[in-house]
Amino acid sequence: MPGQKLPSKRSFAKNLGVSVITVEGALDQLIVEGYLFSKPRSGFFVAKNMRAPKKKLPVTKTKVMMEKENWRIDLAKGANRPDLFPFSRWAKTVREVVSHEPERILLGKLPPQGLPRLREAIADYLRGGRGMSVCGEQIIIGAGAQYLYTTLVQLLGRDLVYAIENPGYPRLNKIYRADGVIPKFLELDAAGAAVPSADVDVIHVSPSHQFPTGVVMPIGRRQQLLNWAGTDKYIIEDDYDWEFRFSGMPIPSLQSIDAFDRVIYLNTFTQSLGSAVRIAYAVLPESLSIRFAEKLSFFSNSVSALDQLVLAKFLEDGNFERHVSRLRVAYRSVRDLLIDQLEELGIPVLNTNSGLSFLAKFENPKIAKILAKQGIRLPSLASYSLSDAWGRGKHWYYLSFASLTNQLAQEVLDAIKAAIKS
């Protein structure tokens, strides 16, 4: 009861079989938490504002709806093969960074844009591999592309009108909406995303390899989009897998031919190094770099100094380019296996020269259902539609081979052959 006196410390110690010091510690803690109070030479008392604890209500378990990930082989996934990750070279780089980098850099405060060393290493990589004239000061680092999508909305403003490709990346649509932006949709034709209407302020496109169609935007449409942007609109160029081109030279980026500095270039290392290295970057126009420093520099950078330094050294030493070259060899083998046997079966394939996916046409919709029963997910192109109005792409299916070995690819092909015969 409130105000009730407690037994003495010695009585507690004797009855509980513990030392007086232990009892003193427990009583002092109860005083700190407000359950007891003490009076000099009088003892310890129950606090007067104590109330009997209410009966705890049973906890209701809330079911969280999650997307099922129980596919044996998922041809919708763009995740890299774990066996292709350069474990030994990455581990060696980690050891070198930890051994040689100053503690003040490893444990110190990070610039909001990211460490200058990584930003310069990325700039060098883009200059050499992408032909882009950029400097490290234009680059911001973030923990994955999805993090940077949100950052760009904060930077540009929620009051602008945004537009994204349709069909497109469903998660991108959800992220924009979660950030308070209801995007319009850019319909696709043979040249990629259509030129937006005048009321749109920002477009988010992937001209080098549109997801999920795989369309490579020709120079004519690229120039049309740049002319649309002019000097008062922005283009977010999502260049998520430009390294994986299997025929000819990489297509020049929009950013590299932008005369008015209106393109925000976005890319990630997740496609090439896997989800364990969740580091993405954006190359901002000079005016937006200044705005970022003025408006968003209070944010802490979301990637640890260790991860940034390891990736910087991995780039500087040429390990990343050698790794990507090995990836291209491995994925070309899988791609050729799939395409050769699908064409032998008379199945049309489309947009096969860029990226780690392509489209295949199955006239019989039951093929995908038969594969699903065997644990193989073959998503339709229509499943990537962001609006009910989009009804094209009938019989076309999206096939990503990013997670496939030659053995798994052959399993998929054998399942398709069996499904066709059934």
Side-chain angles (χ1 to χ4, degrees):
M1 293 291 291
Q4 182 177 349
K5 183 178 179 180
L6 272 63
S8 69
K9 290 183 286 186
R10 294 186 181 279
S11 297
F12 271 126
K14 183 178 180 181
N15 291 331
L16 297 175
V18 297
S19 69
V20 174
I21 294 175
T22 301
V23 173
E24 286 179 344
L27 292 173
D28 288 343
Q29 183 65 33
L30 290 173
I31 290 173
V32 170
E33 294 181 15
Y35 293 103
L36 304 178
F37 67 94
S38 65
K39 292 181 180 180
R41 301 177 183 238
S42 298
F44 295 88
F45 300 84
V46 177
K48 294 181 179 180
N49 58 352
M50 289 294 297
R51 296 288 184 272
K54 293 182 179 179
K55 185 178 180 182
K56 190 174 181 180
L57 296 175
V59 177
T60 303
K61 292 184 178 180
T62 303
K63 292 184 178 180
V64 180
M65 300 303 293
M66 300 291 286
E67 182 181 353
K68 290 184 177 180
E69 295 288 349
N70 57 350
W71 297 100
R72 186 170 61 86
I73 302 175
D74 192 349
L75 300 177
K77 272 193 172 181
N80 235 328
R81 284 165 43 184
D83 64 300
L84 294 177
F85 185 80
F87 283 103
S88 60
R89 290 180 182 271
W90 190 263
K92 180 182 177 183
T93 306
V94 171
R95 290 193 296 270
E96 290 176 349
V97 167
V98 172
S99 299
H100 298 108
E101 291 299 325
E103 291 183 4
R104 61 180 177 80
I105 296 179
L106 282 169
L107 303 177
K109 184 178 180 181
L110 291 170
Q113 298 94 333
L115 287 175
R117 182 176 170 184
L118 176 57
R119 291 153 60 199
E120 286 297 338
I122 292 172
D124 287 343
Y125 175 65
L126 292 176
R127 281 193 291 266
R130 207 71 180 96
M132 294 168 56
S133 179
V134 299
C135 64
E137 293 179 353
Q138 294 176 259
I139 295 173
I140 58 173
I141 307 297
Q146 296 170 29
Y147 176 89
L148 290 182
Y149 297 158
T150 297
T151 301
L152 291 178
V153 170
Q154 293 173 328
L155 182 63
L156 297 173
R158 294 180 175 84
D159 56 331
L160 300 183
V161 178
Y162 293 73
I164 60 178
E165 296 166 319
N166 183 37
Y169 185 36
R171 188 172 293 177
L172 176 62
N173 184 34
K174 293 177 181 178
I175 291 171
Y176 273 125
R177 289 174 180 270
D179 287 330
V181 171
I182 308 298
K184 292 191 172 186
F185 299 130
L186 298 173
E187 301 302 323
L188 302 182
D189 57 26
V195 178
S197 56
D199 64 320
V200 174
D201 300 301
V202 183
I203 61 172
H204 191 134
V205 294
S206 47
S208 294
H209 187 237
Q210 199 278 333
F211 179 89
T213 65
V215 170
V216 177
M217 186 179 290
I219 187 63
R221 179 60 55 82
R222 291 169 184 246
Q223 290 290 359
Q224 288 178 327
L225 292 183
L226 290 172
N227 291 338
W228 164 83
T231 59
D232 61 345
K233 300 179 185 296
Y234 287 104
I235 300 173
I236 300 173
E237 179 182 14
D238 204 331
D239 204 25
Y240 65 99
D241 66 353
W242 73 267
E243 291 98 343
F244 301 103
R245 182 161 178 82
F246 300 103
S247 177
M249 297 294 290
I251 305 299
S253 67
L254 270 178
Q255 195 275 350
S256 66
I257 58 174
D258 173 23
F260 296 107
D261 210 21
R262 307 304 294 182
V263 175
I264 302 167
Y265 180 88
L266 187 69
N267 207 337
T268 175
F269 289 96
T270 302
Q271 189 71 44
S272 48
L273 287 171
S275 58
V277 184
R278 189 159 291 281
I279 301 177
Y281 60 93
V283 180
L284 302 178
E286 183 179 353
S287 60
L288 289 183
S289 297
I290 296 172
R291 187 190 299 183
F292 182 92
E294 294 173 345
K295 185 178 178 181
L296 299 179
S297 60
F298 62 88
F299 278 108
S300 298
N301 191 268
S302 56
V303 182
S304 72
L306 177 60
D307 287 341
Q308 292 191 47
L309 289 168
V310 170
L311 180 55
K313 184 167 177 55
F314 205 72
L315 286 163
E316 293 163 354
D317 292 348
N319 286 324
F320 181 72
E321 290 187 61
R322 287 189 286 271
H323 168 64
V324 170
S325 295
R326 287 191 292 271
L327 288 181
R328 277 196 290 262
V329 172
Y331 282 126
R332 181 187 290 275
S333 175
V334 177
R335 163 190 168 271
D336 291 348
L337 176 65
L338 290 166
I339 292 172
D340 290 346
Q341 293 194 36
L342 287 173
E343 289 180 338
E344 286 177 6
L345 293 171
I347 297 170
V349 292
L350 192 63
N351 301 330
T352 59
N353 289 327
S354 288
L356 301 181
S357 64
F358 58 84
L359 299 181
K361 190 173 186 180
F362 296 93
E363 297 289 350
N364 185 353
K366 292 183 179 179
I367 299 293
K369 295 179 180 179
I370 294 172
L371 294 183
K373 291 180 180 179
Q374 301 177 48
I376 302 173
R377 183 187 184 189
L378 179 63
S380 67
L381 180 57
S383 67
Y384 293 98
S385 170
L386 305 179
S387 67
D388 295 335
W390 194 85
R392 290 174 289 145
K394 191 176 182 182
H395 303 309
W396 285 99
Y397 290 81
Y398 174 79
L399 198 157
S400 169
F401 53 92
S403 61
L404 299 184
T405 60
N406 284 56
Q407 181 179 348
L408 287 176
Q410 191 59 58
E411 282 190 47
V412 172
L413 290 164
D414 291 342
I416 290 173
K417 292 173 186 177
I420 291 174
K421 291 179 181 178
S422 64

